[in-house]
C-alpha cells in the first residue's frame, strides 16, 4: 500500500513526468526479453524511423539513449563540440541555467545571454554576436525551445533566420524536452542540428529514454568533436545500426514497447492535432489565470507556452504553500517555483496525454487552493473562462464521430 | 489500439462500473493460481471475515459468488424463499423494476408497491400491509437501498422500525448494489436479513463478484426454502466452508486479490470516511444541479442519494444527446435515463474511488455539454457552487498530513 | 507481498485455471468503462461471432455469461429442459458426477449411466436406451467431452452416430469445459445442441465467463422449456442482442478485452495448430508416465485426454503428498485426485497457453517429487521419452521462421 | 499483437535482461508521479539505505543512476580518476574488453592484463605489478567480478589480499553487473572502493538503473578526480541528498517502486538464500553440461560462475545456430557466443528470479536443440544429472512449510 494513499486519481499537473495513457501502461506490462533476438532489433529499426516524425525531420538520425533529459543534453554537446569551443547559450530560467552549467562543466566557453526570468531568449544579442563573429569562432547556439521553469517558448524559426542572415555556420542545438510532441517543432525546416527530448515529457512515457536527433551536419561534426564521451557516444550506436543489432548496451524492453504504443497513439490522433490540443490547453489555462486576476510569469504573449504556465502569486502568498496544500488536500500535483522564482510562482503543466476535463478539474482545484491560502479568487471564474474557450474550440473525438 | 481512442483519461461517471484504483489494478495484474492450494483458501477465509465489515455485521455469513448483481439478487431470493411465497416489493425505478420482474419470474407472489419515479419507497403502504397481515403471509420485504435509475435512497432504518412495530417476522432483503461501501449501511443494527452488492460498484473493482450477506435468520430460512437453486445455493458454499477449501467451483483469482486490495484501501481510508466522502460528492453535485437551474429527479431531500444524481433536463432537450455528446466530445461517460425517464434525465454517478477534483472536472464537462445541446447554463456556475462546498468541507488527506 | 512467495515462476499444471498469456494480462490491465457506450456493444457483437469459431459452428448462438462452468451447465439445462424431463447422463468421474447432481437438483429425471472411473461413457447403454425409447421420452443426452478428474475424452462423434442411428430427437448437451479450444470439437458436424466452456480453461483467461453455444434446435427448445431461470435465461440476452446493447446486466470489461486478445492469439496460432499442440503435449505426457513405470488412470487409448493426464500411484504412496510436496518444494502446482480416486492419482493439466519446455520442466519436477515420496523413478526418464517425441514432432514457430 | 508470438512462456535464459517476478511487474504498473512531492524522496531515502545490503556494506554511499551498466562503469571511473591515471585492468572476455575500451577512451593509461578467454584474471601479474609499483603510480585496479561472456568468476578476496600484501593504496573498482545479488559479494570485507550493478541483472528488474556504491575512500577520491563528468557526477547527487530531495534530475518512478519490491522479495527470501539458490542453479547446469559430454568454456573449477555457463560446442557445430533454433522452435532464449568465441559457445544465463524447474525446462530444451543441430546428446541425460542434484539439495520454500 502506498503510504501517502489518497482516494481517487492523483491529478498530475507538474510539467513532467506526465500522465501515461492506459494503452502505454498496458504495453509496458511485460517481462524482459532477449534484446539480441531478431524481434527487438526489428522493432528498434522501425522506432528509429518513426521517432523522426515527432521531430519533423526526414534527414536526421535518431538515438534512443537509456538516460534522462540531462543525459540527452550531454550527448548533444559532447558529440558535436570540443573542449574550449565557444558557444552562445541563453539563460532564461532554471532549466536553461542547468544546461549552461553543464556546458561550462564540459569545458565549453559559453557566452551566456541572460534575460529576465519570464522573458524569452534575447535574439537581438544573438544577432549582434553573430554579426561580430566573422571569424566563426562561435561553434554552436544552444537554446531551450520551451523553458519549463517559467513557461516561456522561444522563437526557433527566428533563430534560424538570424543564423541565415549572417550565413553563420554555428550548430543549432535545441533542448526540446518540454516542447517536442506538444509544440510545433520543425527540425528540417528550421535547420536544427541537434534536438532532444525525454520520454517522460510530451511523449507521456516513464522516464528513461533520452531521444536525440542529429542533422547530417551534426553527424559530420561528431567525427571531429574531441569531447570525451563513451556512454553517450553516437558512434557506438552508429556501429550497431550498421550491424543491424542496434544496441551498444541493453535497452529497456518495456520502454521500447511503451514508445511503440505512445507513437501509435500520437499518430492516430495526428501530430498536428496533438499540437492543436496543447494549444487549446495552454490558451484555456491562460484565460483562467487572467480570470483569477493573477499574472502569468511569461511577460509577453509572443513567449506564451502551451505546455506549462507559471503563475505569479501576490507577494503575501508563498507559492510553495499552494503546491503543498494542493497535494495534501486535493491530491493535485502542481509544479514548484524554482530557484529565483521559488515561492513566487507555481506551475501548471499541461502537456502530454491530457484532455480538457482533466485540465478543468485541475483549474477548479487551483481555485480552491488559492482560497485556502488566502487569495480571494472567485470560485468558478477560471473554470468558466477556460470552459467557454473549450466549448467553442474542442473538436469531436475523431474515432467517435 | 482501442478503436474509440481519445486522448487523456476517460471521465467515468456512470453509476457503475466505476473507476478502479491503481493499487487494485496492480493487485489483479497476475497469472492464474491453483485455487486448491493452501494459499487461496487462506486468503478466502480472511476475505469472508473482512467483507462483513462493509455490511456492518458481525453475525452475518458472507458469500462471494462469481456473478453480477442480478445473480446476487437471485441468490438472495432463492435461498430464502419458496415458490408461491408472498413478498412486498417497492417499484421506484428501473432497477427495482428489474428485481421485481425477477421475483415474479421466480414464482413469488409479489405485492408491488409503486411510487412515482423520483420518490422513495412508500413505507406507509408497507405499514398498512404489515398491519393487516396478522397471519404473517408476507414472507419477505424486498427493497433497494438506493435506486440507481433515479438517485433515490430509501430509509432502511424506517423499514426496520415498521417491521418491529408490527412484530412482523418477514425477512428483510436489501439490494445494496449502489449503496454498500458508499452510503451508511448497518446490517446488524437494522436487522437486515440478506444484503447484497456487486464488486463493480462502490467497491471499485471489475464486475464479477456478487457479494451476499445472510443473517442467521436468513440462513435458517435457507434450510426450508424450496426454490430450486444450484449455482446460487448457499449450502454448497457452506459445505466447502466447513471443509476449509471454501470454493464449490472456481473463483476468479484476480478478483480475490483485487478485493483484498480494495478492502485494504477502504479500511485505510476508514469506512466512515469513505461514506463521508460520498456525502461530500453527493452534496456538491446537487449544489451544482441547483446552480444550473435544473431539477433533481429525486423529489425530496429525504431521498437524496450520495452515489448517483439523476438530473432532469428541460422538455426541449433529449438527455440521450447529452450523454452521447459528453462521450464523443469530452471523453465523459454519463448515465442514460432508463425506461420511462429515458430522454428525460441524465445521471451522474459519484460513487467508488473518486475524489473532489475528478467530480469538478465532470461538472465542468456537463456544463459545456449543456451549452452544446442548447441549455443556457452559466459556465462555471455549478463548479463554483460545488467547489465552495468542497473548499469548506474537504479534510486533508490523512496519510499526507 | 504474497505470504506464500517462492522465487521464480509458479509452474501451473492444474487442469484449470490455467496459465494466462502475457498479452491477455496486458489487455485486461485497464479501468472499467461504461458498458452502455457505443464501444462495448460494438466489441461484444464481434466477440459473439468470433467465439463461434472455437465451437466450429456457424449456426449456433453464443452467450457469454458472467459465471463459471457450473453456471454454464445450469444455463444449458434450464434453458432447454423442463422439470421432470428424462435425460441420459454419464457418470465417469467427479465432474460428470457434479453435473448429474445438478441435473437431479434441477428436478430432471436422470438415467445415470455409470462407468468405472478411468473409462469413458458407456455408449452401448446409450444405444440400448435409445433403441428402447421409441416414445422419445428421453429429452436430452448430457455428456462431458473430457472428464477432468480422470483424463478421459469421450467420443462425441459416436454419440451423434448413435442418435442418428435411432433417429432420436433428444437434445445433445455437451460439457466442453476442459476440451473446447484444446481438443477437436465440432459443434455443427456432430450436431451438438448446447456446448459450453469456461474462460479459465483452454481459453487461458481468468475465471468469469461461462461461454454457452446453442444450436437452432436448442434455441427452439428454450421457447417451451419450463425450468425456472432468470440470471441464466437466454431470452434476456436475446432481447438485448436485438436492441444492439447486448448486455442484460453488467459484463466484466476486463474479461471482454481479455477474450478479444485470447481469441486473437488462438486465431494467430490457428485453432487446428492449437489442437495439434495439445495433442503433442498430451502424447508427451503419456510417454513420460509410461517411462516412469506408472499407469494412466485412463484405461484405454481410445479415451486418452490431450488436456489432462491422471496418473495412478502405487498403493504405498499417497498422491496428495505428491501434490503438496510439488508445491512446497518446487513451486509446481499439480491436480489432486478427487473423490473416490483421492490419494490414488495426481493430475497433470496440459491445456491452455503452454509450450513444450514448460511441460518438460513440469515432468522433471514430477520426477523429483516421485523420488521425494519414495517411488524409485529413474530421473530424466520421463523427460527423455517426452522430449524424444517433441524433438521429432514440434514445428518451428510460424511467426519466427 | 507481437509479430513473433509463440504459444506459452518465453524461456528467458540469456544472462540479462532476466525474468522479472510478477510482484515487481505489478509494482511498476503505475502512472507517473511528481518526483518532487514528499513521497518520492521519502521512498528514495529508504531505498538508498536498503540497496547497501545487496553490496554488503554499511559504510558505502549508493547512487541509483538512470542509466545502464555501461553508464555505471563510466560513473565509477570518472568520479574517482583523472585523465592519464594509470590503472590495471583484466581482459578475460567481451565485457571486460568493453570496459577496458571505455577506460582507454576516457584517457586512462591502462595496463591490460590479458588471460585466455575461459580463464580468470591473472592475479600473479597483478601481484608483480603492485610489487614493482612502490611509487604508487597505479591509481586503480579494475576487475569484473563475473565475466558474463565466458562464465568466469574472479576471486575478489584474493585481489584484496594482494593489495594488502603490498600495502598498495590503489582504488579497487569492481564491475558486479552479473554478480551482485546472485554471487557472494562483500564490499566492506573485501575493501572494494566502487562496486556497481544494473537493474536488469540479478535484481530482476527492467533495464534502467545503474546502481553504484562508493566507499568513503572512493568518495574522497571523487573530490580531486579531474575526469570530466556531469550526468554521471556523484557530486550532483550528494548535493540533492543533502537537500533531502535526492534527485538531480527525473528518476523513473516505475523503477523506484519496482526496486522497492525487488528488494522486498530478496530480503524475504534472504540474500544468503538467494546466493545459495544461484549456487544450486550453477552447479546443476554444470552437471548437465558434463552429462552431455560438452566442455564448459570456463577452464578451471576455481572460476566456475553460478550466474552464467558458457558451453563449448564441437567444432562441427555453429553455436549461433543453436541459439537461433532454440528461439525459433522452442521459444527458448539462450546467449550467443561473443567476439572471439562467437560460434564456439552458447550461454545459459541462470541468474535472477529463477527456480529449479525453470532451469530443468531450459536444459531439456537445450538437449533437443543439440540433437536438432546434429550433436548426439542422450536426451534426458543433462536433466537427470541436474535433477539428481536438485532433488538432494533443494530446500522447502520457507513460506510454504
Amino acid at each position: 500500500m502506498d503510504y501517502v494513499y489518497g482516494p481517487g486519481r492523483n491529478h498530475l499537473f507538474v510539467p513532467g513526468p506526465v500522465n501515461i495513457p492506459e494503452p502505454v501502461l498496458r504495453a509496458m506490462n511485460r517481462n524482459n526479453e532477449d534484446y539480441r533476438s531478431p524481434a527487438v532489433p526489428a522493432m528498434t529499426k522501425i522506432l528509429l524511423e518513426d521517432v523522426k516524425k515527432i521531430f519533423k525531420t526526414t534527414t536526421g538520425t535518431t538515438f534512443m539513449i537509456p538516460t534522462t533529459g540531462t543525459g540527452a543534453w550531454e550527448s548533444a554537446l559532447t558529440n558535436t563540440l570540443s573542449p574550449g569551443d565557444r558557444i552562445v547559450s541563453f539563460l532564461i530560467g532554471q532549466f536553461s541555467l542547468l544546461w549552461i552549467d553543464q556546458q561550462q562543466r564540459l569545458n565549453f566557453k559559453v557566452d551566456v545571454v541572460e534575460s529576465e526570468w519570464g522573458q524569452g531568449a534575447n535574439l537581438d544579442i544573438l544577432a549582434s554576436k553573430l554579426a561580430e563573429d566573422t571569424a566563426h569562432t562561435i561553434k554552436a547556439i544552444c537554446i531551450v525551445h520551451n523553458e519549463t521553469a517559467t513557461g516561456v517558448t522561444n522563437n526557433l524559426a527566428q533563430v534560424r533566420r538570424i543564423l541565415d542572415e549572417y550565413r553563420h555556420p554555428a550548430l543549432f542545438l535545441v533542448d526540446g524536452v518540454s516542447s517536442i510532441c506538444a509544440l510545433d517543432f520543425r527540425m528540417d525546416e528550421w535547420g536544427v542540428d541537434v534536438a532532444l527530448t525525454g520520454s517522460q515529457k510530451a511523449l507521456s512515457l516513464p522516464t528513461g529514454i533520452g531521444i536525440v536527433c542529429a542533422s547530417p551536419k551534426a553527424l559530420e561534426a561528431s567525427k571531429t568533436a574531441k569531447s570525451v564521451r563513451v556512454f553517450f557516444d553516437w558512434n557506438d550506436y552508429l556501429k550497431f545500426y550498421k550491424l543491424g543489432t542496434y544496441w551498444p548496451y541493453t535497452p529497456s524492453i518495456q520502454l521500447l514497447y511503451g514508445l511503440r504504443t505512445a507513437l501509435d497513439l500520437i499518430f492516430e490522433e495526428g501530430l498536428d492535432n496533438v499540437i492543436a490540443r496543447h494549444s487549446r490547453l495552454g490558451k484555456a489555462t491562460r484565460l483562467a489565470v487572467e480570470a483569477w486576476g493573477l499574472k502569468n510569469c511569461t511577460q509577453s504573449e509572443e513567449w506564451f507556452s502551451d505546455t506549462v504556465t507559471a503563475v505569479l502569486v501576490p507577494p503575501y502568498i508563498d507559492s510553495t504553500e499552494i503546491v503543498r496544500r494542493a497535494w495534501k488536500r486535493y491530491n493535485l500535483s502542481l509544479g514548484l517555483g524554482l530557484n529565483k522564482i521559488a515561492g513566487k510562482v507555481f506551475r501548471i503543466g499541461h502537456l502530454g496525454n491530457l484532455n480538457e476535463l482533466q485540465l478543468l478539474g485541475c483549474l477548479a482545484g487551483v481555485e480552491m487552493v488559492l482560497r485556502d491560502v488566502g487569495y480571494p479568487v472567485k470560485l468558478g471564474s477560471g473554470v468558466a473562462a477556460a470552459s467557454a474557450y473549450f466549448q467553442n474550440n474542442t473538436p469531436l473525438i475523431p474515432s467517435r464521430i
Side-chain angles (χ1 to χ4, degrees), chain A:
Chain A
M1 212 57 45
D2 298 333
Y3 67 102
V4 291
Y5 173 72
R9 294 281 301 177
N10 171 249
H11 301 267
L12 184 61
F13 285 87
V14 294
V18 306
N19 293 288
I20 304 173
E22 264 205 4
V24 171
L25 285 178
R26 277 196 284 282
M28 294 191 306
N29 181 36
R30 64 174 65 232
N31 195 12
N32 283 325
E33 268 182 47
D34 176 17
Y35 72 105
R36 295 292 183 216
S37 86
V40 175
M43 177 169 62
T44 302
K45 186 181 177 181
I46 298 171
L47 281 173
L48 287 170
E49 281 308 305
D50 278 353
V51 288
K52 290 182 189 174
K53 296 175 191 167
I54 64 172
F55 291 94
K56 291 198 178 158
T57 182
T58 58
T59 60
T61 298
T62 42
F63 305 97
M64 305 184 296
I65 306 173
T67 188
T68 68
T70 303
W73 280 346
E74 188 161 330
S75 174
L77 297 168
T78 56
N79 279 283
T80 53
L81 298 167
S82 300
D85 274 357
R86 180 183 174 201
I87 62 183
V88 177
S89 211
F90 300 89
L91 198 176
I92 64 167
Q94 177 65 9
F95 292 93
S96 43
L97 179 141
L98 287 172
W99 198 16
I100 288 166
D101 173 65
Q102 183 185 74
Q103 290 154 14
Q104 290 168 332
R105 288 161 69 190
L106 290 171
N107 296 321
F108 306 120
K109 195 168 153 283
V110 189
D111 289 17
V112 177
V113 182
E114 192 162 0
S115 301
E116 202 179 326
W117 288 30
Q119 297 186 349
N122 189 328
L123 300 185
D124 293 340
I125 296 184
L126 174 64
S128 65
K129 280 181 183 284
L130 293 181
E132 284 166 18
D133 186 38
T134 50
H136 296 169
T137 61
I138 297 170
K139 297 303 177 199
I141 311 301
C142 295
I143 188 165
V144 297
H145 188 190
N146 186 77
E147 168 58 61
T148 317
T150 55
V152 162
T153 302
N154 284 313
N155 187 339
L156 299 185
Q158 181 64 7
V159 172
R160 169 48 55 200
R161 274 190 294 272
I162 296 169
L163 279 162
D164 286 352
E165 188 181 337
Y166 297 99
R167 298 173 188 256
H168 199 287
L171 291 166
F172 183 8
L173 310 187
V174 175
D175 165 344
V177 168
S178 59
S179 78
I180 286 166
C181 259
L183 306 184
D184 187 23
F185 181 81
R186 310 178 184 196
M187 178 140 182
D188 284 1
E189 187 180 327
W190 297 341
V192 172
D193 289 306
V194 187
L196 58 94
T197 188
S199 50
Q200 82 279 16
K201 297 285 184 169
L203 273 167
S204 302
L205 286 161
T207 306
I209 318 184
I211 304 181
V212 179
C213 189
S215 73
K217 184 172 155 191
L219 275 196
E220 195 57 35
S222 76
K223 293 178 184 164
T224 53
K226 290 191 175 50
S227 292
V228 170
R229 60 199 182 267
V230 182
F231 181 77
F232 291 119
D233 198 338
W234 295 348
N235 211 43
D236 293 36
Y237 280 85
L238 294 172
K239 205 170 74 183
F240 281 86
Y241 289 2
K242 259 184 211 142
L243 291 172
T245 50
Y246 287 96
W247 293 104
Y249 33 70
T250 320
S252 164
I253 297 297
Q254 291 72 22
L255 283 172
L256 291 183
Y257 282 96
L259 179 57
R260 177 66 272 155
T261 297
L263 292 174
D264 287 346
L265 293 177
I266 286 165
F267 299 156
E268 182 180 340
E269 188 177 355
L271 181 55
D272 288 337
N273 291 331
V274 171
I275 292 167
R277 177 165 52 79
H278 281 87
S279 163
R280 277 199 305 284
L281 296 170
K283 176 77 173 167
T285 305
R286 292 188 294 272
L287 287 167
V289 172
E290 203 180 307
W292 297 333
L294 292 176
K295 288 241 171 296
N296 196 320
C297 175
T298 314
Q299 296 179 9
S300 158
E301 196 175 331
E302 61 177 310
W303 299 310
F304 278 159
S305 164
D306 285 336
T307 56
V308 58
T309 299
V311 184
L312 285 161
V313 297
Y316 60 90
I317 288 171
D318 177 4
S319 69
T320 305
E321 183 55 24
I322 290 176
V323 174
R324 190 181 295 133
R325 199 161 178 87
W327 188 70
K328 284 186 180 228
R329 197 178 192 207
Y330 303 108
N331 210 350
L332 169 63
S333 295
L334 298 170
L336 289 161
L338 299 173
N339 200 328
K340 63 163 76 167
I341 51 176
K344 298 181 185 164
V345 311
F346 67 91
R347 291 176 299 147
I348 301 172
H350 32 78
L351 75 164
N353 196 265
L354 200 67
N355 59 30
E356 290 77 11
L357 266 54
Q358 285 175 281
L359 181 66
L360 293 173
C362 165
L363 296 177
V366 170
E367 294 181 357
M368 294 195 290
V369 180
L370 287 171
R371 285 188 81 96
D372 284 359
V373 298
Y375 178 75
V377 72
K378 183 163 169 267
L379 291 175
S381 58
V383 171
S387 57
Y389 179 76
F390 282 146
Q391 203 244 327
N392 283 319
N393 291 282
T394 304
L396 293 180
I397 298 169
S399 65
R400 298 186 183 178
I401 294 174

